[in-house]
């Protein structure tokens, strides 16, 4: 008997608490920057595509909803010819972002992606690629790698010696 | 095989019985231990350069301290006690990797080796994962080393495998190691195309991403994303085993598939880079019909095609079929059933057919074995008669190179140095080589391993052959050469063959001289009857030349002469560009005398442009089929690409035509197994196939064998642009393989291995897990089944020597064919990258002859041979005899010329 009364009393007290429910869509909820929502492909500080089409995100994806094809421009820089995410399959786990060695693929705080037609959930590169750097600023994979892909020459990257002179006989 | 006495060794506290004479690393790998290593390669032996394969060796059971040794340099001896997982050893290996990694670039995401990288595997395996080195990385400039291979030198870990393969194993000259200490550089003296015919193997031999496949780069796909099938190379008669890989409906690359009897770990560049024709825009992907002789070809759908075919077969009574030595057994058989074996023609000249039959009959009846490439590698004396192996059977040339090193191994063995200890063996051998004799009309790159080369025209070579046979056995037709030097050479060759334990005679039909074949057969017979040893290997022109010889049928010339007599209603040509096999006048005559021509082929060519009905046939990558290689080994390839558009396997089209033509359900070939059982029932020679190849119902642990690795990505997205609803797995009714990543990932039977992968081993080195022992057999036996079984106690018969002296009239030249590894094979020549390596057509001429004709190198000449007039460039070649000329044949722009033959050469400046 006492426990019933206590429960009623506690429930009654809730009337005076602050409500947790948000009047969405009139009121937008706060989403932390690292919220895992819609996926974007970002660019580096020089405004070039960050993605190097390494396929690691696709391999990490547990539902296999990322597919892409690598290609190269005339400087040898690798980028995706197409990049497709089937969001009707995506579980927003963020594994792709974890796997990405270039910070290209990022999940952002946006979940408003509902569609009437499931086919519209298939995003191509033009739908994914944004103009900015997203959450991670300043990183440019091409300056770290050893390959000359039109961004820096051999030996000009971070932590690189100038190329060996093969004809040099000095010990 | 002589039974080796097994010895006992102890690994990690457990006792194992192992073969002696091996090194510890290969022994451990064979036993299934994961010992990290870089520089050891089973085909190249050990040099102990990388220091990664460390294990701990104990002096005796009491010794607890032990010492670290390199397992690849350690012979296995009775009572050896080692530990593979000792803590100190593990630290040692991790330290080796850490050292190598100090200079390794941050490249994996853009490195084509990534995901199948031996260095990645070893790094993970040894447990090194954190960079402590704070200094800068060494860098190198790259080189442009040609259209096949990409060079990215920063990634090198100095294991020396590349130069050891390229120089020591494949005989290349233009790749080397430069500079010193921490700066060693693996590359060419200057930029330029790698010259060696086996350069593509660097992609697999190099454990890092220094050498990667440039053709793959054009449509790069990670190994884990490739859908693969076991396949067989279709670009020459050796039938090397390959893995064909697909992504997004296009063929992405060819890698070698291990076969201990055939190609071992390697394949040639024609086989590796010839695949691009499958994706070419010249591919026929839709059926086409011409409504009247003067109309143009228009694309039609299946139902229109079938109704046209129905009209054709109802109206037309006389139907003949021309098969092809590059089509599978099944396709050729289906055609012969459709037209009836009486109306089936082989699609090769009478001469080629006769010689092929001579070869097949000899191999079947003489009792003389024909060797696999592996057996050729084991030879200690080789005689090559007439064949330019590098260009007509490239991997056989590589096998002969390996054979040439047996002498050195034998010398080392006497000093107690085992064959796997590569460097000391080379030191001991110096220039010593097994006796190899090459008798060909002009020089080739294999000459350098020859003890003696013999140059002459084809009759001279045949004569030498007969003289050798005669010197070997008194029973052989007596034949003496008038030239003293030549006769003593013949006697020397006979003696060396006699003294060898495993002598091999190699010849082939590509030079088109029957006497030469007979001479080779006689040598083998003489050797075999006198010494009970010696094997004979015959090179044939195409991937299924041997298989075709098993089917009953007439020659192309017979078909042409038939049309001279009567008119034919319908001619069906199967995967055969007849313009490559007969003069255009006779092919056109054949066309004119046939009311209707149906062509089944893969690529648009002169034939398909002339045909009335063109049917899109599947390539090796889109079909199942059986090919018989030059040693009579039947091997099967499986499809890796799901057929799209109207493309179908030739046998399927032909089965459809049989149904339409006979309108009876008697032939009901729905699946591949149906036609193979019909084929097997049709000819006793094929009976052996019956139990050998697994049929489509074969299951591993109740599941099909997946074509895709477990990490295959993108399956819910790759087709989502077309339709977001997934279509599901493409069924495969023809084979035990499945177009999916799901299924049994246990090791399948050797003929069904679609790719190599094993936990911890993502690179090609995973192949070791599929072998009995490194460089040994595939587990459960190597793929392929020999159809030629040498009969016991066969009667010894010799061919008569019938050599006509060559007499040339003034201005006349003896013309012999010159083959090119890049260019002389039809399909690979259509590959866009490989076609960059095809030379312009040329004629070899002795410089003296050229001078007499007032010609200079590279000048255009006019060559007249059998009514064909060619304007062609000359190349002066000192090794070709006077009065002889070598004409490049089968190159894409070359018209058909019947060779060997006689022709006239004119200097165009003077004559015109
Ligand atoms: S969030 Fe997870 S499910 Fe979605 S694409 Fe990335 S890896 Fe795949
Ligand atoms: S992991 Fe990153 S760089 Fe690699 S393909 Fe995916 S998005 Fe591009
Ligand atoms: S290029 Fe490759 S094979 Fe050659 S030494 Fe370097 S890592 Fe080894
Ligand atoms: S062309 Fe011949 S030698 Fe080369 S890989 Fe193919 S079958 Fe082997
Ligand atoms: S594999 Fe033994 S030292 Fe390299």
């Amino acid at each position: 008997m006492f426990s019933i009364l206590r429960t009623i009393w506690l429930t009654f007290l809730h009337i005076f608490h602050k409500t947790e429910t948000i009047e969405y869509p009139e009121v937008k909820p706060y989403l932390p920057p690292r919220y895992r929502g819609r996926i974007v492909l970002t660019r580096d500080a020089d405004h070039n595509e960050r993605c190097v089409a390494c396929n690691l995100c696709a391999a990490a994806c547990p539902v296999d909803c990322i597919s892409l094809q690598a290609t190269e421009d005339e400087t040898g820089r690798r980028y995706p010819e197409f990049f497709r995410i089937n969001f009707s399959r995506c579980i927003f786990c963020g594994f792709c972002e974890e796997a990405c060695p270039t910070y290209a693929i990022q999940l952002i705080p946006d979940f408003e992606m509902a569609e009437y037609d499931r086919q519209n959930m298939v995003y191509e590169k033009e739908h994914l690629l944004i103009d900015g750097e997203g959450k991670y600023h300043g990183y440019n994979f091409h300056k770290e790698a050893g390959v000359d892909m039109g961004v820096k020459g051999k030996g000009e990257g971070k932590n690189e010696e100038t190329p060996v002179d093969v004809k040099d006989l000095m010990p | 095989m002589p039974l080796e006495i097994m010895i006992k060794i102890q690994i990690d506290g457990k006792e194992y019985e192992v073969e002696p004479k091996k090194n510890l690393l290969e022994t451990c790998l064979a036993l299934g231990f994961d010992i990290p290593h870089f520089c050891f390669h089973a085909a190249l032996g050990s040099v102990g350069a990388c220091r990664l394969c460390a294990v701990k060796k104990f002096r005796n059971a009491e010794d607890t301290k032990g010492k670290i040794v390199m397992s690849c340099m350690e012979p296995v001896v009775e009572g050896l006690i080692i530990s593979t997982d000792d803590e100190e050893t593990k630290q040692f290996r991790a330290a080796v990797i850490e050292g190598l990694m100090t200079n390794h670039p941050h490249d994996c995401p853009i490195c084509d080796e990534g995901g199948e990288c031996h260095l990645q595997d070893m790094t993970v395996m040894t447990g090194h994962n954190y960079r402590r080195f704070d200094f800068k990385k060494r860098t190198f400039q790259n080189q442009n080393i040609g259209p096949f291979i990409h060079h990215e030198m920063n990634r090198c870990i100095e294991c020396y495998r590349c130069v050891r393969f390229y120089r020591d194993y494949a005989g290349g000259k233009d790749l080397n190691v430069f500079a010193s200490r921490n700066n060693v550089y693996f590359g060419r003296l200057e930029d330029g195309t790698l010259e060696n015919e086996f350069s593509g193997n660097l992609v697999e031999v190099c454990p890092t991403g220094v050498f990667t496949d440039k053709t793959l780069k054009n449509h790069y796909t990670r190994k884990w994303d490739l859908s693969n099938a076991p396949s067989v190379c279709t670009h020459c008669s050796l039938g090397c085993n390959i893995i064909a890989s697909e992504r997004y409906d296009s063929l992405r690359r060819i890698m070698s598939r291990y076969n201990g009897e055939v190609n071992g770990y390697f394949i040639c560049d024609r086989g590796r880079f010839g695949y691009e024709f499958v994706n070419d825009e010249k591919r026929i992907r839709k059926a086409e019909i011409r409504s009247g002789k003067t109309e143009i070809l228009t694309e039609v759908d299946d139902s229109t095609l079938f109704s046209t075919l129905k009209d054709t077969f109802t109206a037309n009574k006389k139907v003949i079929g021309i098969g092809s030595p590059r089509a599978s057994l099944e396709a050729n058989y289906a055609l012969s059933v459709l037209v009836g074996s009486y109306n089936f023609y082989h699609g090769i000249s009478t001469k080629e057919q006769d010689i092929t039959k001579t070869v097949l009959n000899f191999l079947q009846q003489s009792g003389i074995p024909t060797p696999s490439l592996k057996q050729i590698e084991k030879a200690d004396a080789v005689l090559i008669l007439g064949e330019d192996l590098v260009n007509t059977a490239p991997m056989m040339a590589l096998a002969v190179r390996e054979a040439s090193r047996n002498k050195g191994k034998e010398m080392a063995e006497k000093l107690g140095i085992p064959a796997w200890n590569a460097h000391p063996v080379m030191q001991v051998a110096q220039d010593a080589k097994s006796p190899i004799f090459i008798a060909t009309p002009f020089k080739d790159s294999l000459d350098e391993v020859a003890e003696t080369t013999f140059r002459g025209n084809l009759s001279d070579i045949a004569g030498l052959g007969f003289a050798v046979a005669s010197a070997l056995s008194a029973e052989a037709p007596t034949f003496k050469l008038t030239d003293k030097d030549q006769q003593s050479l013949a006697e020397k060759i006979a003696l060396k063959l006699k003294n060898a334990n495993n002598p091999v005679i190699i010849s082939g039909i590509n030079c088109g001289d029957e006497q030469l074949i007979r001479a080779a057969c006689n040598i083998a017979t003489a050797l075999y009857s006198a010494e009970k040893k010696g094997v004979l290997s015959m090179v044939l022109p195409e991937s299924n030349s041997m298989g075709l010889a098993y089917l009953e049928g007439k020659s192309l010339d017979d078909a042409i002469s038939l049309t001279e007599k009567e008119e034919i209603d319908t001619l069906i040509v199967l995967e055969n560009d007849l313009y490559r096999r007969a003069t255009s006048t006779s092919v056109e005559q054949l066309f004119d005398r046939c009311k209707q021509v149906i062509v089944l082929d893969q690529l648009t060519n002169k034939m398909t442009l002339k045909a009335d009905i063109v049917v899109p046939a599947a390539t090796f990558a889109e079909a199942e089929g059986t090919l018989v290689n030059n040693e009579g080994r039947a091997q099967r390839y499986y499809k890796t690409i799901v057929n799209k558009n109207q493309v179908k396997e030739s046998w399927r089209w032909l089965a459809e035509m049989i149904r339409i033509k006979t309108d009876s359900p008697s032939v009901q070939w729905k699946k591949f197994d149906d036609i193979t059982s019909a084929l097997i029932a049709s000819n006793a020679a094929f009976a052996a196939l019956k139990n050998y190849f697994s049929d489509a119902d074969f299951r591993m642990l109740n599941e099909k064998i997946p074509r895709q690795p477990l990490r295959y990505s993108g399956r819910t997205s790759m087709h989502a642009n077309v339709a977001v609803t997934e279509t599901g797995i493409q069924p495969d009714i023809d084979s035990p393989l499945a177009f999916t990543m799901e299924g049994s990932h246990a090791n399948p039977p050797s003929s069904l291995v679609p790719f190599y992968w094993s936990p911890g081993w993502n690179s090609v080195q995973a192949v070791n897990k599929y072998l009995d022992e490194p460089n040994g057999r595939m587990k459960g036996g190597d793929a392929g089944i020999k159809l030629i079984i040498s009969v016991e106690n066969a009667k010894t018969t010799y061919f008569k020597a019938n050599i006509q002296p060559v007499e040339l009239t003034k201005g006349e030249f003896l013309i012999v064919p010159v083959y090119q590894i890049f260019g002389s094979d039809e399909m690979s020549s259509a590959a866009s990258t490989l076609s960059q390596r095809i030379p312009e057509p040329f004629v070899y001429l002795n410089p003296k002859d050229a001078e007499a004709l007032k010609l200079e190198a590279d000048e255009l000449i006019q060559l007249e041979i059998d009514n064909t007039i060619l304007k062609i460039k000359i190349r002066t070649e000192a090794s070709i005899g006077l009065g002889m000329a070598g004409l490049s044949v089968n190159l894409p722009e070359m018209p058909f010329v019947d060779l060997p033959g006689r022709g006239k050469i004119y200097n165009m400046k003077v004559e015109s």
Side-chain angles (χ1 to χ4, degrees):
Chain A
M1 185 62 189
F2 171 76
S3 109
I4 290 170
L5 287 175
R6 181 177 171 271
T7 310
I8 290 170
W9 172 244
L10 283 176
T11 311
F12 172 77
L13 278 185
H14 270 282
I15 295 173
F16 307 104
H17 283 177
K18 189 171 160 269
T19 60
E20 289 293 341
T21 314
I22 294 166
E23 297 293 321
Y24 180 81
E26 284 74 27
V27 182
K28 303 281 183 199
Y30 167 74
L31 299 177
R34 288 210 264 167
Y35 182 89
R36 298 198 309 266
R38 176 166 63 89
I39 298 171
V40 294
L41 289 174
T42 61
R43 293 175 189 270
D44 59 30
D46 304 327
H47 212 69
N48 292 318
E49 258 179 72
R50 260 179 174 162
C51 174
V52 295
C54 70
N55 280 284
L56 288 173
C57 51
C61 179
V63 293
D64 284 345
C65 73
I66 304 178
S67 65
L68 65 147
Q69 172 60 52
T71 186
E72 271 169 22
D73 70 7
E74 58 293 340
T75 62
R77 184 188 175 113
R78 198 161 267 192
Y79 68 98
E81 189 178 335
F82 74 81
F83 196 109
R84 183 180 307 132
I85 301 183
N86 177 357
F87 278 111
S88 75
R89 280 290 192 180
C90 178
I91 56 169
F92 300 96
C93 61
F95 283 12
C96 47
E97 178 171 340
E98 294 254 351
C100 183
T102 67
Y103 290 138
I105 197 165
Q106 297 179 17
L107 280 78
I108 60 167
D110 172 21
F111 56 83
E112 294 168 312
M113 302 173 70
E115 294 281 354
Y116 285 105
D117 182 358
R118 192 177 153 204
Q119 186 66 45
N120 294 338
M121 302 285 282
V122 179
Y123 282 39
E124 298 288 342
K125 192 164 105 179
E126 69 240 46
H127 310 122
L128 297 166
L129 194 60
I130 63 165
D131 268 347
E133 292 181 84
K135 290 175 272 187
Y136 308 101
H137 289 257
Y139 185 76
N140 188 342
F141 173 81
H142 295 86
K143 293 190 177 148
E144 317 277 333
V147 178
D148 173 4
M149 290 170 293
V151 177
K152 56 115 191 131
K154 276 285 168 83
E156 292 167 8
K158 281 192 189 156
N159 273 326
E160 281 188 340
E161 303 271 12
T162 45
V164 166
D165 177 5
V166 182
K167 293 179 183 135
D168 183 12
L169 289 177
M170 291 302 281
Chain B
M1 249 205 211
L3 254 176
E4 295 265 17
I5 300 158
M6 301 293 257
I7 53 171
K8 287 207 179 80
I9 63 168
Q10 212 189 79
I11 308 174
D12 296 341
K14 245 183 99 184
E15 205 151 86
Y16 294 89
E17 280 216 335
V18 299
E19 274 176 61
K21 292 200 193 154
K22 297 258 150 94
N23 67 57
L24 183 55
L25 178 58
E26 52 185 340
T27 306
C28 289
L29 290 173
L31 291 172
F33 288 94
D34 288 340
I35 311 269
H37 61 274
F38 281 123
C39 63
F40 168 78
H41 186 291
L44 310 176
S46 317
V47 287
C50 72
R51 317 315 280 172
L52 189 61
C53 63
V55 295
K56 201 165 233 183
K57 176 178 164 186
F58 300 94
R59 227 172 311 145
N60 48 41
E62 283 75 59
D63 181 5
T64 49
K65 199 150 178 286
K67 65 168 182 180
I68 290 177
V69 295
M70 295 305 125
S71 61
C72 70
M73 300 303 286
E74 196 67 23
V76 287
V77 289
E78 178 74 45
L80 184 69
I81 304 174
I82 62 147
S83 154
T84 65
D85 57 357
D86 161 83
E87 201 44 48
E88 202 186 358
T89 326
K90 282 202 223 156
Q91 277 171 17
F92 179 89
R93 292 183 202 145
V96 170
I97 290 282
E98 182 167 18
L100 292 175
M101 280 310 214
T102 55
N103 280 320
H104 199 72
H106 188 65
D107 272 2
C108 296
I110 35 149
C111 173
D112 288 3
E113 196 83 354
E116 51 179 323
C117 176
H118 191 48
L119 177 61
Q120 281 180 341
D121 288 352
M122 294 304 100
T123 309
V124 174
M125 198 175 278
T126 55
H128 164 67
N129 54 19
Y130 189 80
R131 184 179 175 84
R132 294 184 292 169
F133 184 75
D134 268 344
F135 305 95
K136 291 187 169 182
K137 292 178 180 180
R138 172 203 59 200
T139 61
F140 290 107
Q141 299 290 4
N142 299 334
Q143 287 178 326
N144 181 351
I145 51 172
F148 291 155
I149 298 181
H150 180 75
H151 187 228
E152 189 59 54
M153 190 47 210
N154 281 354
R155 300 171 184 155
C156 179
I157 54 160
E158 293 84 37
C159 69
Y160 282 73
R161 262 190 183 190
C162 51
V163 282
R164 289 176 57 222
F165 169 77
Y166 196 87
R167 301 179 70 84
D168 304 349
Y169 193 87
K173 302 277 173 294
D174 57 333
L175 182 84
N176 215 335
V177 46
F178 303 97
S180 61
R181 57 177 179 99
N182 204 18
N183 288 346
V184 288
Y185 186 87
F186 297 82
R188 300 183 83 246
L189 196 55
E190 53 189 12
D191 283 25
T193 303
L194 282 179
E195 287 157 8
N196 193 270
E197 296 81 7
F198 307 96
S199 65
N201 294 301
L202 291 175
V203 172
E204 293 182 50
V205 166
C206 174
T208 72
V210 175
F211 298 107
T212 51
D213 183 338
K214 228 183 211 174
T215 66
L216 173 66
K217 213 169 183 286
N218 296 332
H219 42 214
Y220 182 66
T221 310
R222 294 257 177 243
K223 181 182 180 183
W224 67 66
D225 279 343
L226 290 167
S227 182
N228 317 279
S231 192
V232 177
C233 178
T234 54
H235 301 306
C236 87
S237 66
L238 300 182
C240 296
N241 290 199
I242 53 171
I243 292 175
S245 308
E246 173 265 9
R247 177 83 176 174
Y248 303 129
D249 297 328
S250 79
L251 193 59
R252 295 291 159 114
R253 73 158 173 205
I254 299 294
M255 294 278 265
S256 76
R257 180 163 64 94
Y258 188 90
N259 188 322
E261 285 296 326
V262 187
N263 54 312
Y265 290 95
F266 308 120
I267 53 173
C268 78
D269 287 359
R270 185 198 269 183
R272 187 181 300 271
F273 302 111
Y275 73 92
E276 284 175 319
F277 78 91
V278 173
N279 309 328
D280 201 82
E281 53 197 23
K282 287 211 297 287
R283 270 301 293 283
I284 304 165
R285 298 193 191 268
K286 297 259 172 66
E288 294 170 322
I289 286 183
R290 197 191 302 279
S291 41
K293 278 270 175 208
T294 52
E295 302 292 317
I296 53 157
L297 282 167
T298 42
E299 287 177 2
V300 292
D301 59 11
D302 275 9
S303 60
T304 323
L305 175 69
F306 291 152
S307 64
T308 318
L309 286 173
K310 179 139 195 84
D311 298 344
T312 304
F313 290 132
T314 347
N316 298 343
K317 290 288 155 285
K318 181 81 186 161
V319 183
I320 66 167
I322 297 184
S324 166
R326 68 165 156 93
S328 67
L329 267 186
E330 288 79 7
N332 277 305
Y333 172 68
L335 179 61
S336 86
V337 171
L338 172 67
V339 297
S341 57
Y342 180 75
N343 293 318
F344 180 63
Y345 296 82
H346 276 185
I348 51 177
S349 67
T350 310
K351 189 171 80 183
E352 182 178 331
Q353 193 181 30
D354 287 349
I355 310 185
T356 316
K357 285 214 170 121
T358 310
V359 168
L360 179 60
N361 288 342
F362 184 82
L363 295 181
Q364 280 176 327
Q365 289 155 18
S366 65
I368 293 163
T370 180
S372 63
L373 291 185
K374 181 63 145 218
Q375 285 162 308
I376 296 179
E377 283 180 7
K378 297 251 151 65
D380 52 358
V382 182
L383 169 63
I384 300 170
L385 279 189
E387 276 297 306
D388 174 7
L389 290 185
V390 178
N391 291 301
T392 60
M395 283 299 288
M396 197 182 279
L398 198 62
V400 171
R401 271 187 190 277
E402 178 67 1
S404 74
R405 290 184 281 267
N406 286 336
K407 172 84 180 171
K409 288 185 187 161
E410 195 189 301
M411 288 160 66
E413 196 94 44
K414 285 201 187 110
L415 298 173
I417 301 167
W420 50 259
N421 204 346
H423 207 247
V425 170
M426 272 169 68
Q427 295 289 328
V428 170
Q430 295 296 333
D431 284 337
K433 293 187 191 75
S434 317
I436 288 173
F437 302 95
I438 300 181
T440 47
F442 44 84
K443 75 153 202 282
D444 67 63
S445 59
L446 200 59
D447 283 0
E448 65 190 30
V449 300
E451 180 174 313
T452 314
T453 54
F454 174 85
R455 293 283 110 88
N457 62 40
L458 299 175
S459 307
D460 297 339
I461 296 169
L464 177 78
F466 283 119
V468 173
S470 159
L472 273 166
S473 161
E475 285 167 37
T478 322
F479 198 92
K480 279 233 154 54
L481 294 168
T482 41
D483 185 316
K484 270 229 184 70
D485 291 345
Q486 291 187 6
Q487 179 58 28
S488 70
L489 173 65
E491 279 158 20
K492 178 170 123 191
I493 296 173
L495 187 71
K496 294 263 169 147
L497 291 176
K498 216 181 225 166
N499 290 344
N501 294 320
N502 302 310
V504 173
I505 322 293
I506 296 174
S507 187
I509 78 170
N510 287 298
C511 42
D513 189 281
E514 178 139 24
Q515 286 303 317
L516 215 147
I517 298 294
R518 294 178 169 206
C521 292
N522 277 6
I523 301 173
T525 312
L527 196 59
Y528 200 75
S529 60
E531 312 279 329
K532 276 283 166 266
K533 65 187 178 195
V535 289
L536 174 69
S537 182
M538 286 288 183
V539 176
L540 299 181
E542 274 161 88
S543 58
N544 204 19
S545 294
M546 188 61 106
L548 192 60
Y550 275 94
L551 300 178
E552 204 179 305
K554 285 165 270 184
S555 73
L556 175 60
D557 301 333
D558 293 337
I560 293 169
S561 45
L562 174 76
T563 53
E564 276 163 17
K565 280 184 248 115
E566 56 180 305
E567 189 151 76
I568 305 294
D569 291 326
T570 303
L571 166 69
I572 305 176
V573 184
L574 169 70
E575 302 180 24
N576 199 339
D577 180 2
L578 301 180
Y579 284 95
R580 291 174 65 91
R581 304 186 193 270
T583 59
S584 50
T585 4
S586 35
V587 179
E588 257 134 47
Q589 177 213 318
L590 180 73
F591 268 62
D592 289 343
R593 300 279 291 165
C594 297
K595 285 208 209 100
Q596 193 180 35
V597 180
I598 304 177
V599 173
L600 292 91
D601 216 335
Q602 293 108 357
L603 292 172
T604 310
N605 56 34
K606 241 166 138 187
M607 289 278 296
T608 61
L609 292 175
K610 285 236 159 115
D612 302 297
I613 301 180
V614 179
V615 182
T619 61
F620 71 94
E622 297 138 343
E624 272 77 23
T626 312
L627 300 173
V628 187
N629 81 352
N630 73 317
E631 43 151 347
R633 180 186 300 270
Q635 306 188 97
R636 189 160 287 170
Y637 55 88
Y638 294 88
K639 65 162 83 69
T640 172
I641 305 181
V642 182
N643 287 333
K644 287 280 153 66
N645 298 314
Q646 279 167 292
V647 176
K648 271 207 262 286
E649 301 87 337
S650 292
W651 67 264
R652 260 211 170 96
W653 281 117
L654 292 162
E656 202 64 55
M657 291 183 199
I658 295 171
R659 196 181 51 75
I660 293 169
K661 182 165 179 247
T662 56
D663 212 6
S664 83
S666 62
V667 177
Q668 285 273 17
W669 298 333
K670 293 244 156 55
K671 346 190 257 320
F672 186 65
D673 288 335
D674 298 339
I675 182 159
T676 49
S677 5
L679 172 74
I680 289 163
S682 74
N683 188 336
F686 298 138
L689 298 178
K690 190 174 163 100
N691 297 319
Y692 181 75
F693 292 111
S694 320
D695 56 25
D697 296 329
F698 174 82
R699 292 290 179 276
M700 295 282 302
L701 310 171
N702 273 332
E703 289 183 293
K704 280 196 143 199
I705 300 158
R707 284 180 169 83
Q708 300 160 0
L710 278 168
R711 282 189 212 117
Y712 192 80
S713 79
R715 61 179 169 161
T716 66
S717 163
M718 52 201 296
H719 303 299
N721 56 332
V722 184
V724 73
T725 46
E726 284 133 36
T727 47
I729 296 166
Q730 287 285 343
D732 181 359
I733 55 168
D734 294 322
S735 80
L737 299 154
F739 293 102
T740 167
M741 63 216 261
E742 285 158 22
S744 166
H745 282 269
N747 275 7
S750 59
S751 60
L752 287 171
V753 175
F755 56 89
Y756 298 117
W757 182 82
S758 175
W761 299 86
N762 299 290
S763 73
V764 282
Q765 308 298 325
V767 63
N768 285 331
K769 298 281 179 188
Y770 293 74
L771 306 182
D772 277 350
E773 57 177 350
N775 214 12
R777 292 187 327 157
M778 289 283 284
K779 283 188 177 140
D782 286 309
I785 180 157
K786 287 268 273 195
L787 295 183
I788 299 176
I789 301 147
S790 30
V791 284
E792 298 283 322
N793 308 322
K795 223 173 78 225
T796 312
T797 45
Y798 286 98
F799 290 105
K800 268 212 285 305
N802 179 16
I803 298 207
Q804 309 296 342
V806 182
E807 271 156 34
L808 294 169
T809 59
K810 194 177 160 345
E812 211 177 29
F813 282 85
L814 215 52
I815 318 251
V816 290
V818 182
Y819 293 88
Q820 294 292 308
I821 179 169
F822 305 124
S824 295
D825 166 65
E826 181 181 354
M827 301 315 264
S828 64
S829 301
S832 53
T833 306
L834 188 144
S835 66
Q836 297 169 23
R837 300 279 308 267
I838 300 178
E840 251 184 276
F842 61 86
V843 193
Y844 276 153
L845 214 55
N846 190 295
K848 290 207 184 100
D849 278 334
E851 204 181 325
L853 284 164
K854 301 198 177 57
L855 287 165
E856 275 161 37
D858 283 344
E859 228 175 314
L860 274 184
I861 53 144
Q862 181 161 317
L863 175 70
E864 273 181 37
I865 175 163
D866 299 340
N867 305 329
T868 310
I869 298 177
L870 295 171
K871 291 195 170 48
I872 193 166
K873 271 191 183 166
I874 68 154
R875 283 199 203 170
T876 47
E877 171 58 63
S879 66
I880 199 160
L882 287 174
M884 280 176 76
L887 178 62
S888 63
V889 284
N890 293 359
L891 300 187
E893 314 94 289
M894 283 283 295
F896 170 81
V897 186
D898 186 16
L899 293 180
R902 283 149 191 257
K904 295 209 155 143
I905 291 176
Y906 301 103
N907 184 333
M908 288 177 50
K909 285 178 305 200
V910 180
E911 240 63 37
S912 57

